[in-house]
Amino acid sequence: MSELNKIALQILSNGKGILAADESTATMTKRLDSVKVISDENNRLLFRQTLFSSSSMSKCIGGVILYDETIRQKASNGKTIPELINSSGSLVGIKVDTGAKILAGSEEEKITEGLDGLRDRLNDYYKLGAKFTKWRGVYLISDKYPSKLSISSNAHALARYAALVQEAGMVPIIEPEVLMDGNHSAKDCLIKTSEVINKCFEELELNNVDLKGIILKPNMILPGKNSSEKISSEEIAELTLECLKNDVPSSVPGIAFLSGGQTEIEATANLNQINIKNDTNFIMTYSYGRALQQSALKFWSKDINNITGTQEIFDHRAKMCTLAAQGKWSENFENQK
Ligand code: 5MM
């Protein structure tokens, strides 16, 4: 087994998942503004170190994706943040893209940037303790989107990123996110997501990326946020599995879904159904940002010194997601805190 494959399996096995805590300062500021907490370096650190020292870290969280600011910070017990994360047996990941910017040649779509100077930045992150990385491509969805230009430019960038990351000895998370915004049907989401994922693997193979040493972080197949279509978790699971079975090469060890704006319960219930119906060899788990942190953030904002209370809320969510990653979750568990 290759070293990269071992790292990927260590992060994803036994129902463990990933905590996506890699909000850029702009996004974290939006999150903190929404609960009326000042977004300064100390408060961002305080919230994050509260989560990283929770008891669920060792049982549920195989890896944490950090933002550049956080990987360089020290927790109040004197440990560096990578040391704190490693002390629970969890691995450190780092977001290495520099954000999605307007794609020249398209009216509204975006291209993710960050390839210039990436080789040197990766070597720095490796020295800081990172074992895996993340790059997110974002795709609008409508009758005309994503355009062929957006599909091929983002796939090209994701593949060049992945090749550089493996060269630096880390596992790349490939995150092509077809957004939930819009009134499209789940069927449209399936068609467009398939096109996006297919192109990503075409480019990954062209760039000689070892598929056993990557993690795919896709969206689930859902109707758009403004669509009137209502479908069950069972149907979401079937469509999502259909997409991944057709479009992801079987050498990929695992898939860690993003939550994309689903509520905590939706993201948990849908992942649970995916695992109940999973007839593939892929590990299917979570790499959630909002669906792991929302309730904890809301609670913490009422009293930012209530560490234990905040950790209880986070531990519960992480435990529910880990049950879902094994197809063992039930709504009844939500009230047994
Ligand atoms: C945690 O949010 C991540 C970073 O967002 P920005 O670069 O815009 O600040 C984001 O990439 C996240 O990792 C994924 O979208 C998954 O998060 P959700 O909330 O969709 O599970």
Side-chain angles (χ1 to χ4, degrees), residues 189-223:
C189 179
L190 172 66
I191 294 167
K192 308 273 181 162
T193 303
S194 288
E195 230 183 299
V196 162
I197 292 181
N198 260 308
K199 190 69 184 173
C200 284
F201 281 102
E202 189 185 311
E203 288 289 332
L204 287 165
E205 282 172 28
L206 190 65
N207 282 269
N208 299 316
V209 172
D210 172 10
L211 298 184
K212 293 196 186 77
I214 70 161
I215 294 170
L216 180 68
K217 176 167 174 167
N219 50 284
M220 294 177 190
I221 304 300
L222 302 161

Side-chain angles (χ1 to χ4, degrees), residues 101-111 138-140 144-151:
K101 311 282 156 60
I102 291 296
L103 172 63
S106 173
E107 283 167 24
E108 302 163 273
E109 293 170 295
K110 291 189 170 168
I111 177 73
V138 277
Y139 304 85
L140 294 178
K144 56 178 183 171
Y145 296 140
S147 65
K148 289 221 173 330
L149 174 65
S150 146
I151 293 174

Side-chain angles (χ1 to χ4, degrees), residues 20 22 24 27 95 134 136 175 177 217 259-260 288-290:
D22 61 311
S24 56
T27 302
K95 183 229 295 292
K134 195 199 86 175
R136 170 172 170 254
E175 182 181 4
E177 176 176 9
K217 176 167 174 167
S259 58
Y288 292 164
R290 286 163 286 179

Side-chain angles (χ1 to χ4, degrees), residues 4 33 74 85 118 160 167 176 184 195 198 242 258 260 284 296-297:
L4 295 181
D33 281 353
K74 268 194 178 167
I85 291 170
L118 181 57
R160 283 189 54 205
E167 178 191 278
H184 52 277
E195 230 183 299
N198 260 308
E242 181 185 336
L258 59 94
M284 301 274 191
L297 180 67

